[in-house]
Amino acid sequence: MQPLPDGAILLVDARSRGGPNAEIWSADGTRLRQGHLGDAIENVLTTPSGAIWVGYFDEAMGGAGPQGHGLARFTPDLEPGWVYPHRADLPPIVDCYALNVAGETAWSCAYTAFHLVAVDNDQAIDYGMAPQRGANALLTDGSTGAMVGGYGPEYDLVAPFHIVEDRRSRPGGQCRLVLPDGLEVRERRIYGRGTEMHVFIGRSWYRVDLAR
């Protein structure tokens, strides 16, 4: 579920059975439209203008259309507006582990290359190897940021980064994601939007900003 302009809400089913798997509802509870965003959806984030960014996991690779690109942007009418290009100078997206939107710019980190990639004005920019392989969350203001998560014992690792002039990500000091009382974070769902990280554990919702 994601917010859209004028109080509208986007609802998306991660799996598609051949029919529509996305709906837009008005603030008063009226269904405005339906659409198909593809199968095997890993992440969905909307921007202030109403653009809809969708990242896919590996089972999408066998499908046709936007899902076969690993990352796509849809219009507020649920129509494809941009897809990640298959180019030799860009890392492939097999599974979009982490997705973020900072304003109208999308940021991703994907299996298998785990490069930090931004998409601004339809231009994909590769910032090189991300500071953490296997991270499943990303937060950034466009110049600084952090990757969160990883494989095995690195599941709670926080790896900061800085964007430098040569378009590469430069890692900072790493730390661990813990609860306010210092206990480890287990069995959580975690999302990044801009500079904010949202962590859901059971019925509890934690939020922290990159500046902190």
Side-chain angles (χ1 to χ4, degrees):
M1 182 170 64
Q2 286 288 297
L4 289 170
D6 300 322
I9 295 293
L10 170 68
L11 301 177
V12 180
D13 189 340
R15 304 310 304 255
S16 171
R17 303 297 183 265
N21 66 337
E23 297 180 343
I24 295 178
W25 291 74
S26 68
D28 64 5
T30 301
R31 189 174 69 187
L32 301 176
R33 62 185 64 89
Q34 290 180 302
H36 185 257
L37 301 186
D39 187 31
I41 292 175
E42 180 101 36
N43 304 287
V44 178
L45 287 172
T46 55
T47 73
S49 72
I52 301 165
W53 284 94
V54 181
Y56 301 87
F57 58 87
D58 54 2
E59 291 184 23
M61 293 299 100
Q67 71 184 49
H69 292 258
L71 178 66
R73 188 186 67 229
F74 291 79
T75 70
D77 293 325
L78 303 178
E79 296 294 331
W82 181 90
V83 294
Y84 187 78
H86 295 307
R87 294 197 332 233
D89 62 326
L90 289 174
I93 296 180
V94 176
D95 190 324
C96 188
Y97 275 30
L99 178 66
N100 193 322
V101 291
E104 297 297 322
T105 301
W107 295 78
S108 70
C109 184
Y111 179 85
T112 59
F114 292 115
H115 279 209
L116 186 62
V117 176
V119 183
D120 185 26
N121 292 323
D122 293 349
Q123 181 67 37
I125 304 170
D126 179 12
Y127 286 98
M129 180 68 69
Q132 174 67 5
R133 293 177 61 85
N136 55 18
L138 161 66
L139 53 158
T140 183
D141 61 6
S143 59
T144 62
M147 311 295 300
V148 184
Y151 293 124
E154 297 182 340
Y155 73 95
D156 60 354
L157 191 67
V158 180
F161 62 83
H162 300 278
I163 302 298
V164 293
E165 292 181 359
D166 61 357
R167 293 188 171 184
R168 310 303 270 179
S169 59
R170 180 178 296 167
Q174 298 180 340
C175 60
R176 296 283 179 175
L177 180 67
V178 297
L179 293 173
D181 58 7
L183 293 177
E184 64 180 334
V185 177
R186 287 281 192 178
E187 298 180 357
R188 82 291 191 274
R189 290 174 294 134
I190 184 170
Y191 305 95
R193 175 183 285 277
T195 61
E196 291 187 338
M197 179 171 59
H198 300 266
V199 181
F200 298 88
I201 304 173
R203 296 184 178 182
S204 298
W205 178 1
Y206 300 90
R207 184 182 68 177
V208 65
D209 193 271
L210 182 64
R212 299 180 185 178

PDB file of all heavy atoms in Angstrom, residues 100-103 105-107 116 118 125 127 138-146 161-164 168 194-195 210:
ATOM      1  N   ASN A 100      14.523   2.605  -3.028  1.00  0.00           N
ATOM      2  CA  ASN A 100      14.220   3.829  -2.304  1.00  0.00           C
ATOM      3  C   ASN A 100      13.832   4.895  -3.311  1.00  0.00           C
ATOM      4  O   ASN A 100      14.264   4.850  -4.475  1.00  0.00           O
ATOM      5  CB  ASN A 100      15.438   4.293  -1.489  1.00  0.00           C
ATOM      6  CG  ASN A 100      15.099   5.384  -0.480  1.00  0.00           C
ATOM      7  OD1 ASN A 100      14.306   6.272  -0.737  1.00  0.00           O
ATOM      8  ND2 ASN A 100      15.727   5.310   0.678  1.00  0.00           N
ATOM      9  N   VAL A 101      13.025   5.851  -2.883  1.00  0.00           N
ATOM     10  CA  VAL A 101      12.773   7.047  -3.674  1.00  0.00           C
ATOM     11  C   VAL A 101      13.093   8.255  -2.811  1.00  0.00           C
ATOM     12  O   VAL A 101      12.652   8.351  -1.669  1.00  0.00           O
ATOM     13  CB  VAL A 101      11.330   7.124  -4.205  1.00  0.00           C
ATOM     14  CG1 VAL A 101      11.087   6.065  -5.261  1.00  0.00           C
ATOM     15  CG2 VAL A 101      10.307   7.011  -3.091  1.00  0.00           C
ATOM     16  N   ALA A 102      13.900   9.169  -3.343  1.00  0.00           N
ATOM     17  CA  ALA A 102      14.222  10.439  -2.700  1.00  0.00           C
ATOM     18  C   ALA A 102      13.722  11.524  -3.639  1.00  0.00           C
ATOM     19  O   ALA A 102      14.349  11.791  -4.666  1.00  0.00           O
ATOM     20  CB  ALA A 102      15.721  10.569  -2.450  1.00  0.00           C
ATOM     21  N   GLY A 103      12.573  12.106  -3.333  1.00  0.00           N
ATOM     22  CA  GLY A 103      11.915  12.989  -4.274  1.00  0.00           C
ATOM     23  C   GLY A 103      11.418  12.189  -5.465  1.00  0.00           C
ATOM     24  O   GLY A 103      10.690  11.210  -5.305  1.00  0.00           O
ATOM     25  N   THR A 105      13.659  10.799  -7.623  1.00  0.00           N
ATOM     26  CA  THR A 105      14.775   9.938  -8.000  1.00  0.00           C
ATOM     27  C   THR A 105      14.667   8.594  -7.292  1.00  0.00           C
ATOM     28  O   THR A 105      14.441   8.542  -6.084  1.00  0.00           O
ATOM     29  CB  THR A 105      16.120  10.589  -7.642  1.00  0.00           C
ATOM     30  OG1 THR A 105      16.229  11.843  -8.318  1.00  0.00           O
ATOM     31  CG2 THR A 105      17.286   9.705  -8.037  1.00  0.00           C
ATOM     32  N   ALA A 106      14.818   7.527  -8.037  1.00  0.00           N
ATOM     33  CA  ALA A 106      14.789   6.176  -7.466  1.00  0.00           C
ATOM     34  C   ALA A 106      16.217   5.672  -7.280  1.00  0.00           C
ATOM     35  O   ALA A 106      17.111   5.964  -8.084  1.00  0.00           O
ATOM     36  CB  ALA A 106      14.020   5.221  -8.376  1.00  0.00           C
ATOM     37  N   TRP A 107      16.417   4.906  -6.207  1.00  0.00           N
ATOM     38  CA  TRP A 107      17.711   4.292  -5.908  1.00  0.00           C
ATOM     39  C   TRP A 107      17.485   2.802  -5.682  1.00  0.00           C
ATOM     40  O   TRP A 107      16.501   2.403  -5.049  1.00  0.00           O
ATOM     41  CB  TRP A 107      18.328   4.900  -4.648  1.00  0.00           C
ATOM     42  CG  TRP A 107      18.690   6.338  -4.785  1.00  0.00           C
ATOM     43  CD1 TRP A 107      17.847   7.412  -4.740  1.00  0.00           C
ATOM     44  CD2 TRP A 107      20.000   6.871  -4.998  1.00  0.00           C
ATOM     45  NE1 TRP A 107      18.547   8.577  -4.902  1.00  0.00           N
ATOM     46  CE2 TRP A 107      19.873   8.280  -5.054  1.00  0.00           C
ATOM     47  CE3 TRP A 107      21.263   6.292  -5.117  1.00  0.00           C
ATOM     48  CZ2 TRP A 107      20.966   9.112  -5.246  1.00  0.00           C
ATOM     49  CZ3 TRP A 107      22.355   7.125  -5.309  1.00  0.00           C
ATOM     50  CH2 TRP A 107      22.203   8.519  -5.378  1.00  0.00           C
ATOM     51  N   LEU A 116      25.149   0.246  -6.438  1.00  0.00           N
ATOM     52  CA  LEU A 116      24.225   1.309  -6.090  1.00  0.00           C
ATOM     53  C   LEU A 116      23.884   2.067  -7.370  1.00  0.00           C
ATOM     54  O   LEU A 116      24.763   2.642  -8.016  1.00  0.00           O
ATOM     55  CB  LEU A 116      24.875   2.239  -5.066  1.00  0.00           C
ATOM     56  CG  LEU A 116      24.009   3.332  -4.470  1.00  0.00           C
ATOM     57  CD1 LEU A 116      22.843   2.745  -3.698  1.00  0.00           C
ATOM     58  CD2 LEU A 116      24.851   4.232  -3.571  1.00  0.00           C
ATOM     59  N   ALA A 118      21.162   4.830  -9.305  1.00  0.00           N
ATOM     60  CA  ALA A 118      20.123   5.848  -9.209  1.00  0.00           C
ATOM     61  C   ALA A 118      19.498   6.052 -10.585  1.00  0.00           C
ATOM     62  O   ALA A 118      20.170   5.898 -11.611  1.00  0.00           O
ATOM     63  CB  ALA A 118      20.691   7.163  -8.699  1.00  0.00           C
ATOM     64  N   ILE A 125      22.169   5.801 -13.429  1.00  0.00           N
ATOM     65  CA  ILE A 125      23.549   6.134 -13.098  1.00  0.00           C
ATOM     66  C   ILE A 125      24.090   5.066 -12.157  1.00  0.00           C
ATOM     67  O   ILE A 125      23.514   4.822 -11.089  1.00  0.00           O
ATOM     68  CB  ILE A 125      23.643   7.507 -12.422  1.00  0.00           C
ATOM     69  CG1 ILE A 125      23.002   8.579 -13.311  1.00  0.00           C
ATOM     70  CG2 ILE A 125      25.104   7.858 -12.112  1.00  0.00           C
ATOM     71  CD1 ILE A 125      22.835   9.912 -12.607  1.00  0.00           C
ATOM     72  N   TYR A 127      26.696   3.936  -9.533  1.00  0.00           N
ATOM     73  CA  TYR A 127      27.668   4.483  -8.593  1.00  0.00           C
ATOM     74  C   TYR A 127      28.636   3.429  -8.071  1.00  0.00           C
ATOM     75  O   TYR A 127      29.327   3.660  -7.089  1.00  0.00           O
ATOM     76  CB  TYR A 127      26.938   5.157  -7.427  1.00  0.00           C
ATOM     77  CG  TYR A 127      26.312   6.478  -7.800  1.00  0.00           C
ATOM     78  CD1 TYR A 127      24.965   6.552  -8.125  1.00  0.00           C
ATOM     79  CD2 TYR A 127      27.071   7.635  -7.846  1.00  0.00           C
ATOM     80  CE1 TYR A 127      24.387   7.765  -8.475  1.00  0.00           C
ATOM     81  CE2 TYR A 127      26.503   8.848  -8.195  1.00  0.00           C
ATOM     82  CZ  TYR A 127      25.159   8.908  -8.511  1.00  0.00           C
ATOM     83  OH  TYR A 127      24.594  10.103  -8.862  1.00  0.00           O
ATOM     84  N   LEU A 138      17.548   0.471   1.970  1.00  0.00           N
ATOM     85  CA  LEU A 138      18.424   1.538   1.511  1.00  0.00           C
ATOM     86  C   LEU A 138      17.765   2.865   1.871  1.00  0.00           C
ATOM     87  O   LEU A 138      16.564   3.041   1.663  1.00  0.00           O
ATOM     88  CB  LEU A 138      18.597   1.413  -0.008  1.00  0.00           C
ATOM     89  CG  LEU A 138      19.086   2.606  -0.818  1.00  0.00           C
ATOM     90  CD1 LEU A 138      20.506   2.964  -0.448  1.00  0.00           C
ATOM     91  CD2 LEU A 138      18.992   2.284  -2.313  1.00  0.00           C
ATOM     92  N   LEU A 139      18.535   3.778   2.453  1.00  0.00           N
ATOM     93  CA  LEU A 139      18.037   5.131   2.667  1.00  0.00           C
ATOM     94  C   LEU A 139      19.100   6.128   2.240  1.00  0.00           C
ATOM     95  O   LEU A 139      20.300   5.873   2.383  1.00  0.00           O
ATOM     96  CB  LEU A 139      17.620   5.370   4.113  1.00  0.00           C
ATOM     97  CG  LEU A 139      18.565   5.071   5.257  1.00  0.00           C
ATOM     98  CD1 LEU A 139      18.141   5.878   6.492  1.00  0.00           C
ATOM     99  CD2 LEU A 139      18.514   3.590   5.624  1.00  0.00           C
ATOM    100  N   THR A 140      18.648   7.255   1.657  1.00  0.00           N
ATOM    101  CA  THR A 140      19.597   8.228   1.137  1.00  0.00           C
ATOM    102  C   THR A 140      18.930   9.572   0.920  1.00  0.00           C
ATOM    103  O   THR A 140      17.711   9.648   0.703  1.00  0.00           O
ATOM    104  CB  THR A 140      20.215   7.745  -0.189  1.00  0.00           C
ATOM    105  OG1 THR A 140      21.195   8.689  -0.628  1.00  0.00           O
ATOM    106  CG2 THR A 140      19.154   7.589  -1.266  1.00  0.00           C
ATOM    107  N   ASP A 141      19.735  10.637   0.971  1.00  0.00           N
ATOM    108  CA  ASP A 141      19.272  11.964   0.597  1.00  0.00           C
ATOM    109  C   ASP A 141      19.838  12.368  -0.757  1.00  0.00           C
ATOM    110  O   ASP A 141      19.673  13.507  -1.193  1.00  0.00           O
ATOM    111  CB  ASP A 141      19.647  12.989   1.672  1.00  0.00           C
ATOM    112  CG  ASP A 141      21.155  13.105   1.883  1.00  0.00           C
ATOM    113  OD1 ASP A 141      21.923  12.478   1.116  1.00  0.00           O
ATOM    114  OD2 ASP A 141      21.571  13.819   2.812  1.00  0.00           O
ATOM    115  N   GLY A 142      20.520  11.460  -1.416  1.00  0.00           N
ATOM    116  CA  GLY A 142      21.111  11.725  -2.717  1.00  0.00           C
ATOM    117  C   GLY A 142      22.609  11.918  -2.689  1.00  0.00           C
ATOM    118  O   GLY A 142      23.270  11.766  -3.714  1.00  0.00           O
ATOM    119  N   SER A 143      23.159  12.234  -1.525  1.00  0.00           N
ATOM    120  CA  SER A 143      24.615  12.384  -1.404  1.00  0.00           C
ATOM    121  C   SER A 143      25.190  11.518  -0.295  1.00  0.00           C
ATOM    122  O   SER A 143      26.336  11.076  -0.381  1.00  0.00           O
ATOM    123  CB  SER A 143      24.994  13.847  -1.158  1.00  0.00           C
ATOM    124  OG  SER A 143      24.394  14.328   0.028  1.00  0.00           O
ATOM    125  N   THR A 144      24.431  11.279   0.753  1.00  0.00           N
ATOM    126  CA  THR A 144      24.820  10.341   1.801  1.00  0.00           C
ATOM    127  C   THR A 144      23.707   9.325   1.970  1.00  0.00           C
ATOM    128  O   THR A 144      22.572   9.542   1.556  1.00  0.00           O
ATOM    129  CB  THR A 144      25.068  11.051   3.144  1.00  0.00           C
ATOM    130  OG1 THR A 144      23.840  11.672   3.579  1.00  0.00           O
ATOM    131  CG2 THR A 144      26.143  12.108   3.012  1.00  0.00           C
ATOM    132  N   GLY A 145      24.020   8.193   2.578  1.00  0.00           N
ATOM    133  CA  GLY A 145      22.997   7.176   2.760  1.00  0.00           C
ATOM    134  C   GLY A 145      23.532   5.998   3.552  1.00  0.00           C
ATOM    135  O   GLY A 145      24.640   6.039   4.098  1.00  0.00           O
ATOM    136  N   ALA A 146      22.742   4.947   3.600  1.00  0.00           N
ATOM    137  CA  ALA A 146      23.150   3.737   4.318  1.00  0.00           C
ATOM    138  C   ALA A 146      22.419   2.539   3.733  1.00  0.00           C
ATOM    139  O   ALA A 146      21.264   2.639   3.313  1.00  0.00           O
ATOM    140  CB  ALA A 146      22.841   3.856   5.807  1.00  0.00           C
ATOM    141  N   PHE A 161      27.299   5.256   3.414  1.00  0.00           N
ATOM    142  CA  PHE A 161      28.068   5.555   2.200  1.00  0.00           C
ATOM    143  C   PHE A 161      27.948   7.044   1.892  1.00  0.00           C
ATOM    144  O   PHE A 161      27.051   7.743   2.372  1.00  0.00           O
ATOM    145  CB  PHE A 161      27.608   4.713   1.004  1.00  0.00           C
ATOM    146  CG  PHE A 161      26.181   4.947   0.580  1.00  0.00           C
ATOM    147  CD1 PHE A 161      25.839   6.006  -0.252  1.00  0.00           C
ATOM    148  CD2 PHE A 161      25.168   4.093   0.994  1.00  0.00           C
ATOM    149  CE1 PHE A 161      24.525   6.215  -0.645  1.00  0.00           C
ATOM    150  CE2 PHE A 161      23.856   4.289   0.602  1.00  0.00           C
ATOM    151  CZ  PHE A 161      23.528   5.348  -0.220  1.00  0.00           C
ATOM    152  N   HIS A 162      28.880   7.516   1.066  1.00  0.00           N
ATOM    153  CA  HIS A 162      28.878   8.885   0.566  1.00  0.00           C
ATOM    154  C   HIS A 162      29.096   8.835  -0.941  1.00  0.00           C
ATOM    155  O   HIS A 162      29.885   8.036  -1.432  1.00  0.00           O
ATOM    156  CB  HIS A 162      29.978   9.726   1.212  1.00  0.00           C
ATOM    157  CG  HIS A 162      29.874   9.825   2.697  1.00  0.00           C
ATOM    158  ND1 HIS A 162      29.046  10.722   3.328  1.00  0.00           N
ATOM    159  CD2 HIS A 162      30.493   9.139   3.680  1.00  0.00           C
ATOM    160  CE1 HIS A 162      29.152  10.579   4.631  1.00  0.00           C
ATOM    161  NE2 HIS A 162      30.026   9.627   4.879  1.00  0.00           N
ATOM    162  N   ILE A 163      28.375   9.669  -1.664  1.00  0.00           N
ATOM    163  CA  ILE A 163      28.581   9.782  -3.103  1.00  0.00           C
ATOM    164  C   ILE A 163      29.661  10.827  -3.342  1.00  0.00           C
ATOM    165  O   ILE A 163      29.589  11.954  -2.833  1.00  0.00           O
ATOM    166  CB  ILE A 163      27.289  10.196  -3.821  1.00  0.00           C
ATOM    167  CG1 ILE A 163      26.170   9.178  -3.548  1.00  0.00           C
ATOM    168  CG2 ILE A 163      27.530  10.339  -5.322  1.00  0.00           C
ATOM    169  CD1 ILE A 163      26.466   7.788  -4.047  1.00  0.00           C
ATOM    170  N   VAL A 164      30.680  10.459  -4.135  1.00  0.00           N
ATOM    171  CA  VAL A 164      31.781  11.383  -4.426  1.00  0.00           C
ATOM    172  C   VAL A 164      31.750  11.745  -5.906  1.00  0.00           C
ATOM    173  O   VAL A 164      30.983  11.196  -6.693  1.00  0.00           O
ATOM    174  CB  VAL A 164      33.134  10.755  -4.031  1.00  0.00           C
ATOM    175  CG1 VAL A 164      33.216  10.596  -2.528  1.00  0.00           C
ATOM    176  CG2 VAL A 164      33.346   9.411  -4.711  1.00  0.00           C
ATOM    177  N   ARG A 168      31.284   7.200  -7.531  1.00  0.00           N
ATOM    178  CA  ARG A 168      31.451   5.944  -6.813  1.00  0.00           C
ATOM    179  C   ARG A 168      30.950   6.124  -5.390  1.00  0.00           C
ATOM    180  O   ARG A 168      30.970   7.218  -4.835  1.00  0.00           O
ATOM    181  CB  ARG A 168      32.915   5.495  -6.770  1.00  0.00           C
ATOM    182  CG  ARG A 168      33.593   5.510  -8.123  1.00  0.00           C
ATOM    183  CD  ARG A 168      32.893   4.674  -9.149  1.00  0.00           C
ATOM    184  NE  ARG A 168      33.385   3.306  -9.168  1.00  0.00           N
ATOM    185  CZ  ARG A 168      32.924   2.362  -9.973  1.00  0.00           C
ATOM    186  NH1 ARG A 168      31.928   2.624 -10.780  1.00  0.00           N
ATOM    187  NH2 ARG A 168      33.425   1.154  -9.957  1.00  0.00           N
ATOM    188  N   GLY A 194      13.434   7.862   1.139  1.00  0.00           N
ATOM    189  CA  GLY A 194      14.258   9.038   1.329  1.00  0.00           C
ATOM    190  C   GLY A 194      15.267   8.797   2.438  1.00  0.00           C
ATOM    191  O   GLY A 194      15.988   7.803   2.452  1.00  0.00           O
ATOM    192  N   THR A 195      15.286   9.685   3.418  1.00  0.00           N
ATOM    193  CA  THR A 195      16.228   9.556   4.524  1.00  0.00           C
ATOM    194  C   THR A 195      15.643   8.802   5.711  1.00  0.00           C
ATOM    195  O   THR A 195      16.322   8.653   6.727  1.00  0.00           O
ATOM    196  CB  THR A 195      16.670  10.951   5.012  1.00  0.00           C
ATOM    197  OG1 THR A 195      15.520  11.681   5.479  1.00  0.00           O
ATOM    198  CG2 THR A 195      17.348  11.729   3.894  1.00  0.00           C
ATOM    199  N   LEU A 210      18.005   9.384   8.710  1.00  0.00           N
ATOM    200  CA  LEU A 210      19.431   9.254   8.413  1.00  0.00           C
ATOM    201  C   LEU A 210      20.257  10.273   9.187  1.00  0.00           C
ATOM    202  O   LEU A 210      21.387   9.984   9.590  1.00  0.00           O
ATOM    203  CB  LEU A 210      19.642   9.456   6.904  1.00  0.00           C
ATOM    204  CG  LEU A 210      21.061   9.320   6.363  1.00  0.00           C
ATOM    205  CD1 LEU A 210      21.573   7.906   6.546  1.00  0.00           C
ATOM    206  CD2 LEU A 210      21.093   9.710   4.879  1.00  0.00           C
TER     207      LEU A 210
END
